[in-house]
Amino acid sequence: MSFVTLLTFIAAAVAIISVPGPTTTMIVANTVSSGLRAGALEIAGTQVGLGAMVLIVAFGLETVVVLMSDWLWLVKLAGAIYLIWLGLKLWRSASPKFREAGRPPKVGYFWQGLIVIWSNPKAVLLLGAFLPQFVQGSDSAFAVVLGLGILFMFISTLTDFAYAFAADRAKRAFSGGKTVIAQRLAGSALIGGGIWMALRES
């Protein structure tokens, strides 16, 4: 792969990743609600899910990609419902009566990240269409797709942490009664993200 091709890939990957999606919404919302550690665990879960998608594309498992495409609407709807449910839980936990009971165990944030990335099957379809475009004549398709997939994950991790750090700084501006407002804003963001996911075109 030429240096120019690699730069082209990086520029395209940054453009794709920089557009906030359901996982970004969730990372920001839970960082505002529960702190940077929660956001970091969700990023870890997201990247594990993304890594599995990269492996599917690298191994050329077109059958899996086609299956994801066939069931896109159902998986997307399940993901939307899950995001809305998380948002409602944040609204509930904002109440002083439920504030501590409403927070999931820290490890739960990891699983939230994994579930939400896989509830957005367009991600694997995007990778399946995007990564192979950069395989050139004599290149090993597996090596190139895997390498670019790992680079894509690295860029995604940096971007997600940038959002998480920004959300954490915003969280520090809230104190006392304002914490409830922050949690409810975060919950509203998740509910809005779920509705957007459900209504957008496949």
Side-chain angles (χ1 to χ4, degrees):
M1 174 182 291
S2 69
F3 182 67
V4 173
T5 302
L6 180 60
L7 287 180
T8 302
F9 170 81
I10 292 173
V14 169
I16 291 170
I17 292 168
S18 296
V19 179
T23 54
T24 305
T25 301
M26 180 192 60
I27 289 166
V28 169
N30 280 318
T31 299
V32 169
S33 173
S34 301
L36 187 58
R37 185 183 175 192
L41 285 168
E42 289 192 343
I43 292 170
T46 297
Q47 292 307 311
V48 168
L50 189 58
M53 293 179 180
V54 169
L55 286 176
I56 287 173
V57 176
F59 279 110
L61 300 179
E62 289 87 356
T63 302
V64 176
V65 176
V66 170
L67 182 63
M68 294 293 291
S69 178
D70 290 341
W71 291 91
L72 177 66
W73 67 273
L74 183 59
V75 179
K76 182 185 71 171
L77 182 61
I81 292 171
Y82 183 64
L83 278 180
I84 292 171
W85 177 71
L86 290 177
L88 291 174
K89 281 188 68 177
L90 271 182
W91 260 84
R92 182 174 179 269
S93 67
S95 168
K97 181 179 179 181
F98 298 108
R99 192 166 299 163
E100 293 302 322
R103 292 179 179 175
K106 291 297 184 183
V107 70
Y109 292 112
F110 173 89
W111 293 110
Q112 284 183 14
L114 185 61
I115 291 169
V116 171
I117 187 68
W118 271 101
S119 69
N120 183 24
K122 291 191 76 172
V124 72
L125 300 179
L126 172 64
L127 290 175
F130 178 60
L131 296 179
Q133 292 184 30
F134 296 89
V135 178
Q136 298 175 328
S138 59
D139 293 338
S140 164
F142 176 82
V144 171
V145 170
L146 184 61
L148 291 180
I150 293 172
L151 179 56
F152 189 92
M153 291 172 61
F154 177 72
I155 297 170
S156 174
T157 300
L158 291 181
T159 303
D160 285 344
F161 266 110
Y163 279 115
F165 278 118
D168 187 59
R169 288 182 66 87
K171 177 182 183 295
R172 295 174 189 276
F174 292 91
S175 60
K178 292 181 180 179
T179 303
V180 174
I181 297 174
Q183 284 188 283
R184 288 182 173 168
L185 286 173
S188 298
L190 285 176
I191 293 170
I195 293 172
W196 171 77
M197 181 187 285
L199 296 180
R200 69 176 178 170
E201 296 181 3
S202 299

